[in-house]
Amino acid sequence: MRASALSQLAADDGDIIKSMQYFSVYDKEDGWFGALHNLNPGEGYMYHGQQPHDLYYTESRGCVDEETAKDYNWTTDIHDYANNMSIVAVVTLDDEQLRSDDYEVAAFSDGTCLGSTRLLYNERRDRYYALLPVSGKEGMHVVFKLYRSDVGYEYRGPADENCGFVVNGIFGSLDQPMTLHFHGDTEVQEQEFALRLFPNLVKKGGVVRLELPGNDGSVQVEIYNALDVMVDKQIIDGTMLHLSQTLASGIYFIRAYSVPDRIYYGKLIVQ
């Protein structure tokens, strides 16, 4: 349906049409390439063109393609943010470029998935791409994860592999894609959980109790500000977190590493 709906449009190389969940890129040799297969009545889309265009939408209809209907390991609530950006990338694992749609790439900030996609094969270029839509707001710190669906393995990208969120930003192209690097020794099996804090509104220097089911030992706690910069790190015994008097008023995000393979995420407001 996508090609039919845009058949009256003289698209240029690199033009992008996107929803909040998928996007596709135009190539004069290949036509439209990506995970956005249908333009549905009542849903919003944005077109990024290399030059101004007039779009006359046809009345043709289509069904959902199998690619769009694939199961994903991570889910995104597209209603959390009003804006998104688009990443066109190839993916390497241990410096070898991946060549399988068994892999899913996702973007995260503070433990929340901002978007994910399976790798897509481009026959003419003989290459698999990640066309990754990322929801968010200006200045958010974005990191990446990789999931191999056939064996259930999850990998984190290097700590220095990240980018800042840019509203309607476009990073990479089919001819010059970004490269997202992952390494086998970064494979993790952690499960992520919501962290309950009491109280979650506290004064500077206050004490917060963390609810960590099943934990009976020490806990590593990291505190991040709204810019995703770590401002404090503690190893605590038990569940009581003592806040520093130097913390400025504002919103903070807590990461607690508890029993093996569990990470808890929570939010705290300091008055």
Side-chain angles (χ1 to χ4, degrees):
M1 177 181 175
R2 174 188 57 208
S4 175
L6 302 178
S7 61
Q8 303 301 313
L9 180 69
D12 295 307
D13 277 335
D15 283 7
I16 286 180
I17 187 165
K18 67 176 184 175
S19 66
M20 288 299 293
Q21 198 165 13
Y22 305 105
F23 73 92
S24 290
V25 182
Y26 186 77
D27 180 275
K28 285 191 174 180
E29 297 293 332
D30 301 326
W32 288 101
F33 173 74
L36 178 61
H37 296 280
N38 290 303
L39 304 184
N40 300 315
E43 296 185 9
Y45 301 91
M46 181 175 288
Y47 191 96
H48 289 267
Q50 307 302 309
Q51 58 184 331
H53 291 291
D54 292 321
L55 172 59
Y56 298 94
Y57 187 80
T58 68
E59 294 186 1
S60 60
R61 295 288 184 269
C63 60
V64 177
D65 293 52
E66 291 183 1
E67 191 70 44
T68 305
K70 279 187 175 181
D71 290 333
Y72 282 72
N73 181 55
W74 293 294
T75 58
T76 305
D77 189 342
I78 62 174
H79 303 292
D80 282 348
Y81 298 99
N83 298 295
N84 69 359
M85 66 180 187
S86 306
I87 295 176
V88 181
V90 293
V91 181
T92 66
L93 181 60
D94 292 331
D95 298 321
E96 182 176 342
Q97 196 168 121
L98 295 181
R99 296 182 56 80
S100 171
D101 62 3
D102 286 329
Y103 290 93
E104 176 185 347
V105 180
F108 282 81
S109 183
D110 291 315
T112 299
C113 182
L114 305 177
S116 66
T117 186
R118 288 283 189 91
L119 299 192
L120 298 175
Y121 181 63
N122 184 286
E123 184 175 1
R124 186 170 68 85
R125 292 177 170 82
D126 190 27
R127 175 184 284 175
Y128 280 82
Y129 289 91
L131 270 61
L132 178 61
V134 182
S135 300
K137 60 183 179 181
E138 197 75 35
M140 287 182 71
H141 179 74
V142 179
V143 297
F144 303 99
K145 294 184 183 181
L146 177 69
Y147 179 74
R148 183 174 171 181
S149 62
D150 59 334
V151 292
Y153 288 169
E154 183 180 318
Y155 308 86
R156 295 186 190 278
D160 58 352
E161 180 122 312
N162 57 74
C163 68
F165 183 87
V166 178
V167 173
N168 294 325
I170 299 173
F171 296 90
S173 66
L174 294 179
D175 289 329
Q176 294 183 309
M178 287 182 60
T179 301
L180 299 179
H181 302 275
F182 297 88
H183 298 286
D185 59 3
T186 63
E187 179 187 324
V188 295
Q189 301 295 329
E190 291 100 340
Q191 301 179 65
E192 298 177 353
F193 298 87
L195 173 64
R196 299 183 65 183
L197 306 100
F198 303 95
N200 63 357
L201 177 63
V202 64
K203 294 182 179 180
K204 297 178 184 180
V207 179
V208 178
R209 180 168 64 86
L210 312 182
E211 187 173 287
L212 299 168
N215 179 72
D216 57 3
S218 61
V219 180
Q220 177 177 307
V221 180
E222 299 171 353
I223 303 176
Y224 293 79
N225 64 17
L227 298 178
D228 202 37
V229 175
M230 188 168 65
V231 295
D232 194 13
K233 179 178 178 179
Q234 301 181 29
I235 303 295
I236 64 173
D237 290 317
T239 61
M240 308 308 290
L241 173 64
H242 294 261
L243 300 178
S244 170
Q245 290 280 0
T246 62
L247 282 183
S249 299
I251 297 176
Y252 293 89
F253 299 93
I254 311 298
R255 300 176 192 174
Y257 299 82
S258 178
V259 295
D261 305 331
R262 289 194 176 193
I263 304 177
Y264 289 84
Y265 292 89
K267 183 167 68 173
L268 180 69
I269 301 175
V270 176
Q271 292 181 315

